[in-house]
Amino acid sequence: MSVRPPLVRYAVSPANARGRLHPEPEAATRSPWQRDRDRIIHCSAFRKLQYKTQVFVNHEGDFYRTRLTHSIEVAQIARSVARALGLDEDLTEALALAHDLGHPPFGHAGEEALNLAMKPFGGFDHNAQSLRIVTLLESRYAAWDGLNLTWETLEGLVKHNGPLRNPAPYIADYNDRYKLDLNTQPSAEAQVAAIADDVAYHSHDLDDGLRARLFAPEDLKHLPVVGDALAAARLSSLDVPPPRLRHETIRRVINAMVSDLLAETTKRLNKLDPATPDAIRRSRHRVVAFTAGMAEANQAIKDFLFARMYRHWRVNRMSAKARRLTEEIYRLLHADPSLLPDDWRARAGEAGTQRAATIVGDYVAGMTDRYAMDEHRRLTDISLNG
């Protein structure tokens, strides 16, 4: 039986928590961050991640990652790292599970299209949309909008990639009401969730790319870390069948990355010697990080995936269709909000306004791939009923 280690002094804990915007009695059976995690898992935006694109559109295959499976895999890696470092696992897990809530349908293609369409009205930012979801759009409680998450979860959600010098408008507006210390580093738990995202999408996109035959194992031999993992996987058995070779390679890649970040992070923490979570926040540099060599290897993997997967002609075709479809839905609804369902139409107001732009953006961003395709047909195919 695995016993949870005691928290280090610079871990976030209930003793140094800053509470919630709307005060609530503490739960008898859960910590504040277990409660946040549970609220995230139960919210509708989290469920919809099951049908939102990671790289491949959902209907292209049952085995490819979706935003939901990716988020679960990030949470698994993040929780393991947090435990090894003596940090709060529950806050780390909550942040990992919530980090992609704001993504629109069709992955980065959908986000690019929505950002371009909304450019005259401030653009679209999935990080700001995640904050809108958990503080405004989820309507589950009688006394307030959103999920009323703790300060630590909200801070980690908006700052997981580092201090925000020029925050998106909604983040800036929310910060005016509830200060999230945007100019400081995030907590160590938030930093772990962010770097676990890198580990997960690099290794698992390699897995999905091999599964889709966008490239072959032989194409990976030159990649740092991956090439060594592939060679070690081949040595693990005299005759490793291709599916097992893929899995043996990827788990070695993950292990190498996690081992590197644990060693480098421990080194940085020992040098900084932080006494509190705020000492982590005041640090000039991130404390959870790869070594320079592993950071270079990760960039090489990213460059390979960009060239051989994200810009593969098969992915390009689907991305082009997804961008066009997303832009057309937004343009049609923004020009005529009367086409929106009743509850959305009442909030959108007049066509072409900032209010309409924001509400239509919320509506489109909340769509799954499948719903977006169906909605596009309903809006453009005259033979279909609305």
Side-chain angles (χ1 to χ4, degrees):
M1 179 179 176
S2 178
V3 178
R4 183 181 299 192
L7 296 182
V8 293
R9 58 185 179 172
Y10 46 82
V12 172
S13 72
N16 53 48
R18 302 195 196 183
R20 304 175 190 271
L21 179 60
H22 305 284
E24 297 181 59
E26 292 299 333
T29 58
R30 295 173 293 170
S31 76
W33 300 292
Q34 288 174 320
R35 203 173 183 186
D36 282 358
R37 176 203 59 205
D38 296 348
R39 290 181 177 188
I40 290 162
I41 289 173
H42 284 278
C43 79
S44 59
F46 184 76
R47 291 195 300 276
K48 286 191 285 188
L49 295 179
Q50 180 179 2
Y51 296 107
K52 289 195 177 190
T53 295
Q54 181 67 15
V55 175
F56 297 100
V57 176
N58 180 259
H59 66 256
E60 292 187 77
D62 292 340
F63 291 102
Y64 300 125
R65 266 84 181 175
T66 66
R67 286 284 170 193
L68 179 63
T69 59
H70 166 72
S71 296
I72 293 171
E73 289 168 339
V74 173
Q76 177 270 314
I77 294 169
R79 189 165 188 126
S80 297
V81 172
R83 173 176 287 239
L85 293 172
L87 301 173
D88 189 280
E89 297 177 43
D90 300 313
L91 174 59
T92 308
E93 182 182 28
L95 291 168
L97 292 172
H99 82 281
D100 271 353
L101 288 178
H103 273 283
F106 306 119
H108 293 294
E111 181 168 9
E112 290 167 6
L114 199 52
N115 182 47
L116 185 62
M118 296 182 68
K119 190 65 72 177
F121 300 93
F124 177 84
D125 175 75
H126 78 263
N127 198 36
Q129 193 67 19
S130 294
L131 185 66
R132 281 182 66 79
I133 286 168
V134 301
T135 60
L136 178 66
L137 298 179
E138 285 288 334
S139 303
R140 306 177 65 86
Y141 300 93
W144 54 72
D145 293 327
L147 303 179
N148 198 34
L149 303 178
T150 60
W151 184 92
E152 288 75 15
T153 299
L154 295 178
E155 178 226 15
L157 188 62
V158 299
K159 288 165 45 181
H160 64 274
N161 286 326
L164 293 179
R165 310 298 183 195
N166 186 29
Y170 184 78
I171 295 176
D173 290 345
Y174 190 82
N175 186 64
D176 288 340
R177 293 191 290 127
Y178 192 42
K179 297 295 184 186
L180 296 175
D181 296 351
L182 298 182
N183 292 325
T184 65
Q185 296 288 347
S187 65
E189 287 82 358
Q191 294 183 40
V192 167
I195 205 165
D197 186 28
D198 289 345
V199 173
Y201 81 72
H202 283 163
S203 56
H204 295 143
D205 284 359
L206 286 169
D207 187 18
D208 281 351
L210 287 167
R211 185 188 294 274
R213 298 183 181 178
L214 301 184
F215 43 82
E218 293 303 309
D219 299 321
L220 306 179
K221 290 196 301 184
H222 72 284
L223 284 177
V225 179
V226 182
D228 290 341
L230 176 63
R234 282 180 165 147
L235 288 174
S236 65
S237 174
L238 294 176
D239 183 21
V240 187
R244 294 196 184 197
L245 178 65
R246 187 177 73 244
H247 294 308
E248 286 284 347
T249 300
I250 298 305
R251 72 181 184 85
R252 284 173 167 81
V253 170
I254 294 172
N255 183 66
M257 290 182 180
V258 169
S259 297
D260 179 273
L261 79 88
L262 286 174
E264 177 65 15
T265 299
T266 300
K267 178 181 174 183
R268 293 187 181 204
L269 288 168
N270 288 339
K271 182 178 180 181
L272 182 64
D273 193 25
T276 65
D278 283 340
I280 298 286
R281 295 186 177 102
R282 291 192 300 267
S283 174
R284 293 180 59 188
H285 305 289
R286 297 176 77 86
V287 295
V288 181
F290 293 120
T291 61
M294 183 59 76
E296 290 178 7
N298 267 278
Q299 187 59 51
I301 295 169
K302 185 176 182 179
D303 292 343
F304 174 85
L305 288 168
F306 187 88
R308 297 296 299 273
M309 186 175 186
Y310 309 142
R311 290 297 178 263
H312 191 280
W313 67 267
R314 284 166 52 193
V315 177
N316 283 343
R317 285 186 177 184
M318 184 56 70
S319 296
K321 289 186 283 187
R323 281 192 292 268
R324 185 168 62 251
L325 183 149
T326 304
E327 187 277 331
E328 286 182 359
I329 293 175
Y330 180 86
R331 176 173 50 80
L332 288 167
L333 295 175
H334 185 230
D336 187 1
S338 70
L339 302 176
L340 287 163
D342 287 345
D343 54 338
W344 290 92
R345 184 175 63 217
R347 283 182 277 160
E350 296 295 321
T353 63
Q354 177 69 57
R355 180 182 175 186
T358 301
I359 297 303
V360 172
D362 289 338
Y363 180 61
V364 176
M367 294 179 180
T368 62
D369 298 357
R370 181 173 57 188
Y371 186 89
M373 289 185 282
D374 289 344
E375 186 75 333
H376 185 263
R377 282 192 292 269
R378 287 190 289 265
L379 289 168
T380 59
D381 189 337
I382 200 168
S383 67
L384 294 178
N385 293 323

